Amino acid sequence: MQIEDVELAGFVKITSKDALLVIDMQNDFLPGGALPVADGDQIIPGINNLTDRFHQTENPIVFTQDWHPIGHHSFASTHPGKNPYDPLEAQGIGPVLWPDHCVQGTHGANFVPGLQAAKATLILRKGFHKSIDSYSAFLENDRTTETGLATFLQTLGIERVFICGLALDYCVYFTAIDAKEFGFDVVVVLDQTKAVNTPEGSVSNTLKNMTEKKIIFITSDKILG
Ligand SMILES: [Zn+2]
């Protein structure tokens, strides 16, 4: 399944029970960064438009940051003899190893220039446990450690989340799947996300899984404030 094959929803109106999740819009994930996502920079204006739309109606806006300590176990450099993008499956890590990226307090971990982070209701940092990665904004990769986001959103009465950002086949995907597991309706804003597609086929597999889980796909021009 490819992006062109995804069935898109029609117009949707934002209500008071909706939140926007902006996933990992950080320097290291842009072209020129440590773990670049192709065309990641092209979605900045569209994400700013979405942020404006949710901000105008005072809906919750959550920005996430991948936020790793030096020597994080998801980094190939932590494993002797391993290179970035080599396969490695371990508890809380994998399916591949990554270049060093989004190290806490570095330029690479900062939000991308021009992003309207000042309009975020919550900035949620994830991946700060050295031996566990966290692709999802809800659950770390051991699949048991919660980030607290589900409770935060539930406390605010949120029932549906709109998800955009980077990367479609990793952090957006796992966030979407977990949001559904926590009982939220989930809308992925397909034109405001870009994929890594490593290993090859990950876009196709993740789109298929999201479709099976009844996750809705939409383009940002169909979201009405
Ligand atoms: Zn990471």
Side-chain angles (χ1 to χ4, degrees), residues 4-143:
E4 311 78 77
D5 306 325
V6 170
E7 196 177 322
L8 293 165
F11 287 102
V12 168
K13 188 162 171 43
I14 299 169
T15 77
S16 60
K17 297 182 188 308
D18 291 328
L20 177 67
L21 310 184
V22 178
I23 305 299
D24 295 5
M25 289 300 291
Q26 295 165 268
N27 289 324
D28 271 343
F29 295 130
L30 288 199
L35 205 176
V37 180
D39 300 331
D41 51 332
Q42 293 182 12
I43 60 176
I44 298 170
I47 286 180
N48 282 341
N49 288 339
L50 279 176
T51 304
D52 281 338
R53 216 169 304 171
F54 279 75
H55 186 256
Q56 276 160 15
T57 45
E58 300 181 354
N59 284 73
I61 301 168
V62 180
F63 279 40
T64 67
Q65 272 178 308
D66 214 24
W67 198 251
H68 298 312
I70 292 167
H72 192 255
H73 289 200
S74 73
F75 299 167
S77 63
T78 306
H79 305 266
K82 292 287 186 189
N83 293 309
Y85 308 104
D86 278 354
L88 188 138
E89 288 273 11
Q91 172 73 359
I93 303 294
V96 296
L97 293 170
W98 304 109
D100 290 22
H101 66 278
C102 296
V103 173
Q104 295 170 2
T106 63
H107 171 77
N110 289 346
F111 288 123
V112 301
L115 198 72
Q116 302 192 67
K119 291 183 176 167
T121 316
L122 174 74
I123 292 174
L124 182 109
R125 290 169 168 170
K126 60 186 180 62
F128 55 83
H129 291 122
K130 208 168 197 170
S131 61
I132 315 172
D133 210 351
S134 189
Y135 296 147
S136 161
F138 290 92
L139 269 186
E140 299 193 23
N141 289 13
D142 61 358
R143 313 309 297 145

